[in-house]
Amino acid sequence: PFSVKLHETSDPDKKQMLERIQNAVKSAVEPLKKALQNRLSEEEISKQAEVVLQEAKDILSEWLDAKLCSQVTDNAIFSNLPKFWEEEYHKDMAALNVLPADVLTRVSEYVPEIVDFVQRIVDNGYGYVSNGSVYFDTMKFDTSEKHSYAKLVPEAVGDQKALQEGEGDLSISADRLSEKRSPSDFALWKSSKPGEPSWDSPWGKGRPGWHIECSAMAGSILGESMDIHGGGFDLRFPHHDNELAQSEAYFENDNWVRYFLHTGHLTIAGCKMSKSLKNFITIKDALKKHTARQLRLAFLMHSWKDTLDYSNNTMESAIQYEKFMNEFFLNVKDILRAPADVTGQCEKWDTQEIALNKSFFDKKAAVHEALCDNIDTRTVLEEMRSLVSQCNSYIAGKKSTRQMPNRMLLENISIYLTQMFKIFGAIEGDEANIGFPVGGNGQTLNLESTVMPYLHILSEFREGIRQIAKDKKVPEVLQLCDSLRDDVLPEHGVRFEDHEGLPTVVKLVDRDTLLKEREEKKKIEEEKKLKKEAAARKKQEQEAAKLAKMKISPGEMFKSEHDKYSKFDENGFPTHDMEGKELSKGQMKKLKKLYEAQEKLYKEYLQMVQNGTAN
Ligand SMILES: *[C@@H]1O[C@H](CO)[C@@H](O)[C@H](O)[C@H]1NC(C)=O
Ligand SMILES: *[C@@H]1O[C@H](CO)[C@@H](O)[C@H](O)[C@H]1NC(C)=O
Ligand SMILES: *[C@@H]1O[C@H](CO)[C@@H](O)[C@H](O)[C@H]1NC(C)=O
Ligand SMILES: *[C@@H]1O[C@H](CO)[C@@H](O)[C@H](O)[C@H]1NC(C)=O
Ligand SMILES: *[C@@H]1O[C@H](CO)[C@@H](O)[C@H](O)[C@H]1NC(C)=O
Ligand SMILES: [Zn+2]
């Protein structure tokens, strides 16, 4: 089926895209074939098969869809996938520092409202039921005195290509055309084919038309009229014109939307970005190459209503702009940090200061005017750049005459510029700092990725120092390294874990946890120390006792035991017991053993005395 489709495709861009897919699949299949022929391991084969599945994902899902979609009856499949992408979308928006919406509407949650909406349009006479679907009667609406159809792009009425692009075969295929009173009519409610999501309605099982969801959802939140409706330039016709028509048919008014803001398209290096051509760049990919601020600056440097080309050139200008601004902020911060002399806060205002102050107020007025002129951010950023250029000249002039620039004026200008970047979302949060934040707890600034490279340098350096200190036996340095790990870094939420023979593990942990850990470690060490001291004391006592025993000569050993023996020989060895009875051979043998053991100990003692080690 894919080859047939490729053959029938005439659009050159599309054909090229399909050929790209075909080639990718072909070159993925070859290694799999070889792996099978050569009877490679199961693991190797499934690895190659995985590659084929990846490359052929689009071809296979289209084929599976055509084959099996009519068996799908569970609507959950149509809510699980959007749910996943909805979450991804929110993550992307947060990463770009886009503030969350106040109200989020999902079409699947609004089907009853949509059905009511369609019913009322029919009741008002602008819709009709045909073969299980409901269509909007464009002629009836346009010829009504109160209304006019296609206010945004009147010349597009009857443009079948635009309808086709907007609604696909849902409103344009032969059987659909036969259901409609006029080819310009569009579906409010469509009967569902097997495999398409469907809900119950007065007209049978079906689903909302493409435009009705916006009218019903926005209408239920905002009522019969709104000031501003946004959307891409490509949505003007048929989508927004149809949305307008059906909403005004529902509310019977002529002002559902007062202003439409249609944004320009994004192109990539000069090419139209298109999902169907598979040439698009995801926000995640873009954020891998550039920061959210750089992307925002790129957008701000263009008019929101014109085409924006995402290219190296575009991004290079944004990066240069950011650098230029950042350098200015750093210079001002440096000037503000320098110690002020007595007159520091109230320097004399010379002609330069008065001129710069005038420029500052002129630029502020120009920025305001540009924003009032259709949100012309491009001019705003140029005015801001020009203000900074003037500041730079002012600072350079002061430096060349060895004078201090006027701090309050520069500070005020920096605060103003910072405030503007905050308004534009190029600086997040609302800390009172000047300029672009260096680190912090903002959403787009990941502390981990910001500080980790530096922590690694520190930990490797410390590792090297410790090694040398161990080799050269410099305990003071080792102590210093331990103190860095145990006392200094935990205060900053950093944990270094030493593993002998392995690189130090660096972890960012919250400070309180680390301080608690430190307390626990101290407690354990304290206990260890006490145990060790007790053991040492015990050992000392044992040694003292042993020494005391060694000091007794074997001749004296038994003599003190008057309660056991009554007579001794010339060596002090007992011969008779307490009752005067001669000791038995067995008893003598036992005592002899004790005597000999003490003899040995005593000899050792004498030796120690000689050696001078007995004390
Ligand atoms: C009515 O709808 C069915 C299913 O969508 C279609 O097969 C049939 O051709 C339609 N009938 C007319 C008269 O258009
Ligand atoms: C931008 O430059 C990089 C490398 O310098 C290159 O790989 C990439 O294709 C360029 N992108 C565009 C859109 O020109
Ligand atoms: C700065 O300029 C504004 C606008 O011209 C003026 O109102 C203000 O008094 C000036 N400030 C000083 C200190 O001259
Ligand atoms: C600086 O800003 C403060 C607060 O907005 C203002 O009161 C003061 O006049 C400004 N000074 C200069 C020199 O711009
Ligand atoms: C006494 O010193 C000698 C020689 O230095 C040594 O061999 C012996 O082990 C020492 N004895 C004791 C009990 O310290
Ligand atoms: Zn819409």
Side-chain angles (χ1 to χ4, degrees):
F2 179 77
S3 301
V4 173
K5 182 173 160 189
L6 176 59
H7 187 73
E8 284 171 354
T9 299
S10 55
D11 182 294
D13 288 341
K14 218 166 198 166
K15 205 173 182 87
Q16 203 186 9
M17 181 267 294
L18 293 176
E19 277 164 359
R20 253 202 328 268
I21 294 179
Q22 192 183 40
N23 289 337
V25 174
K26 271 185 181 161
S27 46
V29 166
E30 276 317 307
L32 177 60
K33 272 190 187 164
K34 277 212 184 95
L36 287 167
Q37 276 164 8
N38 299 338
R39 295 174 186 280
L40 292 187
S41 72
E42 194 111 334
E43 198 188 339
E44 189 60 29
I45 288 171
S46 66
K47 209 172 97 198
Q48 296 298 345
E50 197 58 47
V51 176
V52 175
L53 283 177
Q54 265 311 315
E55 294 295 349
K57 204 165 74 181
D58 292 302
I59 301 180
L60 290 174
S61 36
E62 219 167 281
W63 175 69
L64 282 171
D65 209 32
K67 247 179 95 150
L68 302 173
C69 94
S70 62
Q71 297 173 13
V72 175
T73 53
D74 182 4
N75 273 356
I77 196 169
F78 304 111
S79 55
N80 289 344
L81 186 67
K83 201 170 154 199
F84 171 82
W85 289 110
E86 185 186 317
E87 271 162 31
E88 292 299 300
Y89 170 77
H90 289 311
K91 280 186 218 155
D92 285 349
M93 289 303 110
L96 287 174
N97 193 24
V98 174
L99 301 181
D102 291 329
V103 179
L104 190 91
T105 57
R106 298 174 188 86
V107 64
S108 56
E109 296 170 347
Y110 277 84
V111 174
E113 283 89 342
I114 290 171
V115 169
D116 290 348
F117 208 95
V118 172
Q119 186 60 58
R120 174 125 150 226
I121 293 172
V122 174
D123 294 346
N124 287 353
Y126 300 108
Y128 57 91
V129 182
S130 173
N131 195 18
S133 294
V134 184
Y135 290 97
F136 188 81
D137 192 334
T138 49
M139 289 306 283
K140 180 82 183 295
F141 181 79
D142 199 34
T143 52
S144 138
E145 241 168 58
K146 289 175 281 188
H147 302 296
S148 52
Y149 179 60
K151 286 190 274 190
L152 294 174
V153 196
E155 66 274 18
V157 177
D159 180 343
Q160 292 301 301
K161 190 162 171 274
L163 263 184
Q164 164 83 47
E165 252 170 40
E167 311 219 325
D169 68 343
L170 294 166
S171 134
I172 212 86
S173 63
D175 55 342
R176 295 299 187 189
L177 273 176
S178 71
E179 292 174 0
K180 300 199 290 187
R181 290 182 188 164
S182 151
S184 305
D185 293 353
F186 55 90
L188 296 171
W189 184 268
K190 298 159 190 160
S191 66
S192 291
K193 288 188 218 144
E196 290 176 349
S198 74
W199 287 266
D200 289 326
S201 82
W203 318 287
K205 280 204 174 295
R207 58 199 177 109
W210 177 38
H211 320 292
I212 197 72
E213 61 183 68
C214 300
S215 295
M217 293 192 298
S220 79
I221 304 290
L222 300 172
E224 59 174 27
S225 184
M226 70 183 88
D227 287 332
I228 299 174
H229 186 313
F233 186 76
D234 54 329
L235 294 180
R236 291 179 312 153
F237 187 90
H239 184 55
H240 287 158
D241 264 329
N242 288 352
E243 221 185 289
L244 264 180
Q246 68 202 6
S247 300
E248 292 174 358
Y250 176 92
F251 289 111
E252 283 289 16
N253 65 11
D254 193 32
N255 57 1
W256 192 55
V257 173
R258 294 176 194 276
Y259 296 95
F260 271 99
L261 298 193
H262 287 116
T263 57
H265 277 163
L266 190 64
T267 58
I268 296 182
C271 299
K272 188 173 169 236
M273 181 151 107
S274 147
K275 251 186 301 187
S276 64
L277 293 181
K278 301 198 193 308
N279 79 330
F280 55 88
I281 173 161
T282 63
I283 289 167
K284 284 185 184 64
D285 286 341
L287 281 172
K288 272 183 212 150
K289 284 170 81 176
H290 302 104
T291 64
R293 180 182 310 131
Q294 288 161 353
L295 290 169
R296 274 185 172 268
L297 289 175
F299 297 154
L300 288 165
M301 288 166 86
H302 289 76
S303 162
W304 61 271
K305 64 185 196 312
D306 294 339
T307 299
L308 166 64
D309 189 38
Y310 177 80
S311 68
N312 283 348
N313 256 346
T314 307
M315 290 317 298
E316 195 48 43
S317 328
I319 290 166
Q320 288 309 323
Y321 189 93
E322 181 190 37
K323 219 178 197 168
F324 179 75
M325 285 291 162
N326 195 38
E327 214 50 50
F328 170 68
F329 286 133
L330 293 177
N331 284 334
V332 171
K333 281 194 262 195
D334 185 57
I335 289 168
L336 294 179
R337 265 198 304 270
D341 54 23
V342 188
T343 58
Q345 289 309 310
C346 273
E347 294 103 346
K348 183 188 172 211
W349 277 52
D350 237 322
T351 48
Q352 297 119 295
E353 280 79 19
I354 288 168
L356 185 59
N357 176 61
K358 186 173 181 311
S359 285
F360 178 26
F361 277 77
D362 288 350
K363 291 296 173 197
K364 274 208 271 196
V367 164
H368 185 79
E369 200 175 323
L371 285 177
C372 291
D373 181 10
N374 203 3
I375 320 172
D376 182 1
T377 59
R378 185 190 174 123
T379 301
V380 170
L381 261 67
E382 279 321 307
E383 296 290 1
M384 285 165 65
R385 190 207 297 269
S386 143
L387 175 58
V388 169
S389 290
Q390 285 167 13
C391 289
N392 287 346
S393 310
Y394 166 75
I395 295 171
K398 282 281 167 180
K399 266 197 184 145
S400 68
T401 56
R402 305 202 159 270
Q403 279 177 297
M404 197 64 186
N406 187 296
R407 294 158 189 256
M408 194 187 278
L409 189 49
L410 285 177
E411 185 172 14
N412 273 14
I413 292 173
S414 304
I415 289 172
Y416 167 72
L417 292 170
T418 303
Q419 190 55 34
M420 290 313 296
F421 284 123
K422 278 183 186 165
I423 289 171
F424 291 138
I427 294 176
E428 53 191 288
D430 37 33
E431 287 125 84
N433 302 331
I434 286 175
F436 301 135
V438 188
N441 35 17
Q443 299 154 298
T444 56
L445 249 175
N446 185 333
L447 181 66
E448 185 122 18
S449 63
T450 310
V451 306
M452 268 309 180
Y454 301 97
L455 286 178
H456 270 293
I457 292 170
L458 176 63
S459 103
E460 268 169 29
F461 182 68
R462 174 174 168 273
E463 200 61 51
I465 294 277
R466 281 178 82 219
Q467 203 46 57
I468 293 169
K470 272 192 220 160
D471 292 346
K472 309 250 175 202
K473 305 217 170 18
V474 196
E476 292 88 341
V477 172
L478 284 173
Q479 251 162 36
L480 216 55
C481 291
D482 284 353
S483 157
L484 177 71
R485 179 194 58 204
D486 299 335
D487 304 326
V488 181
L489 290 176
E491 291 284 351
H492 298 274
V494 176
R495 179 162 68 202
F496 273 17
E497 295 174 5
D498 288 325
H499 299 279
E500 277 317 316
L502 289 171
T504 303
V505 177
V506 182
K507 287 181 181 165
L508 286 182
V509 186
D510 94 286
R511 184 171 165 274
D512 290 345
T513 310
L514 281 179
L515 295 188
K516 225 183 265 161
E517 273 179 18
R518 190 167 73 182
E519 282 315 302
E520 224 126 73
K521 204 169 158 188
K522 269 205 181 128
K523 221 167 91 192
I524 290 172
E525 251 155 26
E526 196 60 38
E527 276 167 12
K528 243 193 200 158
K529 205 172 120 196
L530 288 178
K531 257 192 202 158
K532 218 166 140 183
E533 278 170 6
R537 237 185 345 261
K538 201 167 163 200
K539 199 174 160 207
Q540 218 174 18
E541 282 165 10
Q542 283 170 344
E543 256 157 19
K546 190 180 166 198
L547 194 67
K549 192 166 184 259
M550 283 167 93
K551 277 183 179 168
I552 300 168
S553 78
E556 297 300 312
M557 180 165 79
F558 298 110
K559 279 200 177 151
S560 56
E561 298 188 86
H562 297 295
D563 51 339
K564 282 190 183 164
Y565 315 109
S566 52
K567 273 190 183 168
F568 302 87
D569 68 9
E570 68 277 13
N571 292 326
F573 195 81
T575 52
H576 293 76
D577 69 8
M578 243 349 258
E579 270 99 40
K581 254 175 72 186
E582 215 177 324
L583 294 175
S584 72
K585 273 226 171 95
Q587 278 173 318
M588 294 281 267
K589 203 174 167 190
K590 245 190 215 160
L591 290 176
K592 185 122 184 136
K593 251 189 192 157
L594 287 172
Y595 186 89
E596 278 166 6
Q598 186 62 27
E599 209 170 30
K600 206 171 147 208
L601 273 179
Y602 189 63
K603 243 191 215 154
E604 217 174 294
Y605 171 67
L606 291 179
Q607 182 102 67
M608 278 166 72
V609 171
Q610 251 181 11
N611 285 2
T613 53
N615 41 33

